[in-house]
Amino acid sequence: MARIVAGVGCSHVPAVGVAIDKDRHDDPYWAPYFAKIAPAREWMRDIAPDVCIVVYNDHASAFSLEVIPTFALGLAAGFPVADEGYGPRPVPPVVGHPELAWHLAESLILDEFDLTLVNEMAVDHGLTVPLSVLFGRPSAWPCKVIPLCVNVIQYPPPTGRRCHRLGRALRRAVDAWPGDERVAVLGTGGMSHQLHGQRAGLINTDFDDAFLDGLVADPGKVAEIGHTEYLREAGAEGIELVMWLVMRGALDPEVNEVYRATHVPTSNTHNGLLLLENAAP
Ligand SMILES: [Fe+2]
């Protein structure tokens, strides 16, 4: 059966994508950040997943306010890189895994998670920046990608508890797949940040650090954090952290924390990177 070999939490800051695309690793602003992500790239090279299920949110690239799916699964053989206003990022094509994706769709929907199924979808920085963080600038991504898009843009987003349960259902689905793929699950977005209004620029490292500690050791408790607490403590865009709970739900209750790095500033965001693996071999 397929096996989940990694759970990754990773911010998807657009400016990080630009820094990678423009090779600004040695720029004084960026060098400390890139030094911190180097061990993650090494570990991902060793882990060598065949497939990454990337839990991310679309930023009005594939979906507008006309259609707002709470959970949308990408089934296509490939996903074009979205033009977010400056042309598509110069990254390799994102290749899907339709067979596994359709299996996930069947398993999750019969498990009572009523996903929106998407056969055609451009993917934006929410999905491509974490790939760049983990894999750098290859000529082709080293794995196939199944996008799992979560609405955290338009109120009401799903609760953390619902996202955690979705992750557990995702685990059951992967376990039931007869192929021998090595699967990584990426939860993206966050950590604390707010892009607009009177509190624009808000960063709360205490909240984020406690979130990461809890995500590792007691995810059931972290899953109970409500929308208001995210908004108050982590800013208007901090709600993206619920997507890390999907990733955590897909892992065993007991995990090893392989690596953690946090960094301020990257753009307006407290940037987080967390690598987890199941504690049991
Ligand atoms: Fe985002």
Side-chain angles (χ1 to χ4, degrees), residues 97-238:
H97 191 325
E99 299 81 9
L100 177 54
W102 273 105
H103 163 78
L104 297 179
E106 180 182 18
S107 178
L108 287 165
I109 290 171
L110 296 183
D111 214 355
E112 301 180 349
F113 281 87
D114 306 320
L115 308 175
T116 299
L117 304 181
V118 189
N119 288 310
E120 212 179 297
M121 176 165 75
V123 290
D124 67 16
H125 70 271
L127 181 137
T128 61
V129 166
L131 294 180
S132 299
V133 169
L134 296 174
F135 301 119
R137 296 180 70 191
S139 54
W141 297 121
C143 58
K144 294 181 174 178
V145 173
I146 298 178
L148 176 49
C149 185
V150 179
N151 167 44
V152 291
I153 294 285
Q154 172 63 49
Y155 186 84
T159 63
R161 188 192 306 153
R162 184 69 171 157
C163 288
H164 189 229
R165 287 182 183 164
L166 173 60
R168 282 151 68 180
L170 185 62
R171 171 61 177 278
R172 292 191 285 276
V174 171
D175 283 352
W177 175 245
D180 58 2
E181 285 89 342
R182 297 164 58 79
V183 179
V185 181
L186 279 53
T188 77
M191 297 186 294
S192 58
H193 63 302
Q194 176 155 335
L195 302 178
H196 59 275
Q198 289 185 345
R199 299 203 305 161
L202 177 145
I203 281 175
N204 184 346
T205 55
D206 289 343
F207 175 86
D208 293 333
D209 292 344
F211 179 92
L212 295 179
D213 291 343
L215 193 71
V216 173
D218 193 359
K221 187 173 172 200
V222 170
E224 295 305 317
I225 296 173
H227 290 148
T228 307
E229 188 174 348
Y230 280 113
L231 185 65
R232 186 180 63 233
E233 300 298 330
E237 276 72 40

Side-chain angles (χ1 to χ4, degrees), residues 58-83:
D58 176 74
H59 304 76
S61 301
F63 304 113
S64 66
L65 292 180
E66 290 170 353
V67 180
I68 307 166
T70 299
F71 298 116
L73 186 70
L75 305 166
F79 302 92
V81 176
D83 181 348

Side-chain angles (χ1 to χ4, degrees), residues 12 57 59 240:
H12 59 219
N57 68 287
H59 304 76
E240 290 184 342

Side-chain angles (χ1 to χ4, degrees), residues 230-252:
Y230 280 113
L231 185 65
R232 186 180 63 233
E233 300 298 330
E237 276 72 40
I239 188 65
E240 290 184 342
L241 283 168
V242 296
M243 296 185 287
W244 294 42
L245 278 157
V246 180
M247 173 276 286
R248 183 63 182 88
L251 299 174
D252 289 348

